[in-house]
Amino acid sequence: MTLSIRAWRSAILHSLDDPAVVGIEASYQYFEDGLLVVENDKIIALGNSTDLLPIYKDIADITTITNGLITPGFIDTHIHYPQTGIIASYGEQLLDWLNNYTFPAEGEFHDKAHARSVAEFFLDELLRNGTTTALVFGTVHKESVDAFFEASEARNLRMIGGKVMMDRHAPDFLVDTPESGYQDSKELIQKWHEKGRLHYAVTPRFAPTSTTEQLTKAGELLQEFDNLYMHTHLSENTQECEWVKSLFPNCTNYLDVYDQHNLLSDRSVFAHGIHLCDDEYHRLNETGSAIAFCPTSNLFLGSGLFRLNKAEEYGVNVGLGTDVGGGTSFSLLQTLSEAYKVIQLQGEKLSPFKSLYLATLGGARALRLEDKVGTLLVGTEADFVVLDYQATPLLNYRLAQSKSLDETLFVLMTLGDDRTIRQTYSAGKCVHTREEEK
Ligand code: GUN
Ligand code: ZN
């Protein structure tokens, strides 16, 4: 037995499939007294302690977790690292919020030193909140993306990012051109795509800020390199939707703008998708594209209520996104608390097991990374979190009265936040320990 093998003995829970497809019981695996065994960066065994301890009895390094739960690390399928500093900006809906807060903040990212310091703070914040993988917007400046990938590489995180492409309807200091956007993106792809645990996403901001020439160039990049992601916004705000209609009169709907420029594939992720028609859900399914459901942002910016039932009806992949700085929390637990309320307002229920799925395996599937992250299955990367049942007096008091796993899970998702994350592990390495644990 080599020294690089370590194990965690704990309650352990992970998703195996979408509860909307296989039913709740078949959707998860739970070990009340489980053992998670890790060799270097990979999971090599998962099961009941009684079964596995005799096999792994020689492991010197076994950590026992009491009053806690191990789950896979959370996956944030839509977030803007350069907007960290404008989270909680008052009073506007999308288009004014972009002009008044977002664009001025993003203008600072031509400065590599600034980008570097925000990227480090941003990654600290993700890990404090148990998020181990994210699909991340940079700004129009390629320095912003270099800074993000350099910081992610140094921590060996599985991250996806890209340079914003936008060549109109934004301040002069924030626009590129179809040619420069293409060249800068290409340079970044060659430098970072599939380097270690990193991946590149071609990132046109949204239809209103790209000309048809630029969207065509974005489509060309996707043809030129394998396994690139495409990351953009879709149908978030009613005024935005009207604007898109007037800018692209020959397109049948908002999604069709992207479709006509060859931007739909099974590695395309569209943030929001609130005001979609049936044809758009159908086309998202047909192309294997995914939606990032961003409830805190959709409520904060007054954008509307995402219809999860429609996505389920049409078999569209959905992940969960914080959309910081439009979103109001880095915590995917807090995001699930708001997701539950968004679904409640439509007279439906979001089960805690569907929530677990959205924050982990659903996100991994949206990003086509389910063979690497999103579960605790043998052979996957050891990205996991330790949740603390006693993180706050209220959580402790409430959970002491829980009578079932689904109740415990629901309470964790309703009351939980960064304090609930006792530890975060990425590729087998502890990358965050809550302050008072140190
Ligand atoms: N649509 C275009 N840009 C943005 C952005 O930065 N945030 C959000 N929420 N929506 C957008
Ligand atoms: Zn966004």
Side-chain angles (χ1 to χ4, degrees), residues 78-80 83 97 137 231 233 236 271-272 294 297 323-324 326:
H78 179 68
I79 185 163
H80 302 250
Q83 295 176 14
W97 175 82
F137 259 67
H231 185 197
H233 297 91
E236 175 179 4
H272 311 300
C294 306
S297 168
D323 193 29
V324 166

Side-chain angles (χ1 to χ4, degrees), residues 3-263:
L3 283 175
S4 61
I5 298 186
R6 288 150 302 144
W8 286 261
R9 183 176 183 176
S10 173
I12 303 174
L13 172 69
H14 67 155
S15 286
L16 297 174
D17 211 332
D18 184 350
V21 176
V22 301
I24 284 177
E25 286 314 309
S27 79
Y28 70 93
Q29 200 174 30
Y30 177 62
F31 304 97
E32 193 171 326
D33 177 10
L35 196 74
L36 178 72
V37 187
V38 172
E39 181 170 17
N40 300 321
D41 58 340
K42 298 262 167 45
I43 294 168
I44 59 166
L46 171 69
N48 287 310
S49 286
T50 46
D51 300 330
L52 292 181
L53 279 174
I55 301 170
Y56 292 99
K57 60 182 184 308
D58 295 334
I59 298 180
D61 187 353
I62 298 183
T63 304
T64 300
I65 312 278
T66 51
N67 292 310
L69 176 69
I70 287 181
T71 71
F74 301 135
I75 297 179
D76 188 336
T77 60
H78 179 68
I79 185 163
H80 302 250
Y81 101 79
Q83 295 176 14
T84 302
I86 56 147
I87 191 169
S89 291
Y90 177 78
E92 309 292 4
Q93 293 213 349
L94 177 65
L95 300 177
D96 290 329
W97 175 82
L98 284 173
N99 286 319
N100 295 345
Y101 298 116
T102 312
F103 291 159
E106 292 193 5
E108 303 298 316
F109 283 72
H110 64 90
D111 174 358
K112 181 82 184 277
H114 176 70
R116 211 179 273 131
S117 80
V118 177
E120 295 292 351
F121 182 87
F122 171 85
L123 292 178
D124 285 346
E125 200 61 24
L126 286 187
L127 298 173
R128 274 165 43 72
N129 283 282
T131 299
T132 46
T133 288
L135 174 57
V136 181
F137 259 67
T139 65
V140 75
H141 316 94
K142 64 182 174 193
E143 296 78 6
S144 74
V145 177
D146 278 328
F148 170 70
F149 279 137
E150 283 162 14
S152 300
E153 183 181 44
R155 300 179 194 221
N156 192 27
L157 304 176
R158 189 164 285 290
M159 288 285 161
I160 313 172
K163 183 201 103 73
V164 168
M165 302 171 83
M166 67 175 160
D167 65 347
R168 63 171 173 172
H169 297 140
D172 289 346
F173 59 84
L174 266 191
V175 290
D176 55 10
T177 66
E179 190 52 32
S180 74
Y182 171 87
Q183 286 302 341
D184 287 352
S185 301
K186 191 168 187 160
E187 204 176 292
L188 290 164
I189 292 163
Q190 287 165 335
K191 196 154 149 196
W192 295 110
H193 184 49
E194 302 197 324
K195 182 169 188 222
R197 302 183 84 198
L198 308 175
H199 312 256
Y200 194 85
V202 173
T203 310
R205 177 170 219 115
F206 68 155
T209 48
S210 286
T211 59
T212 192
E213 290 75 20
Q214 179 160 70
L215 294 174
T216 303
K217 286 280 188 198
E220 284 172 16
L221 285 169
L222 297 175
Q223 290 300 315
E224 286 172 42
F225 297 89
D226 290 335
N227 299 331
L228 284 178
Y229 292 89
M230 202 290 299
H231 185 197
T232 191
H233 297 91
L234 171 70
S235 202
E236 175 179 4
N237 165 289
T238 50
Q239 270 182 304
E240 168 211 11
C241 292
E242 288 306 313
W243 194 19
V244 170
K245 229 187 251 178
S246 71
L247 290 169
F248 296 92
N250 297 325
C251 294
T252 53
N253 53 51
Y254 195 155
L255 186 67
D256 191 44
V257 176
Y258 299 128
D259 206 358
Q260 288 199 15
H261 295 89
N262 301 317
L263 298 177

Side-chain angles (χ1 to χ4, degrees), residues 289-317:
S289 301
I291 296 180
F293 170 27
C294 306
T296 75
S297 168
N298 298 161
L299 295 171
F300 183 71
L301 294 177
S303 302
L305 305 178
F306 176 66
R307 292 182 293 166
L308 184 61
N309 61 346
K310 278 282 191 184
E312 287 179 346
E313 182 190 330
Y314 281 87
V316 176
N317 284 320

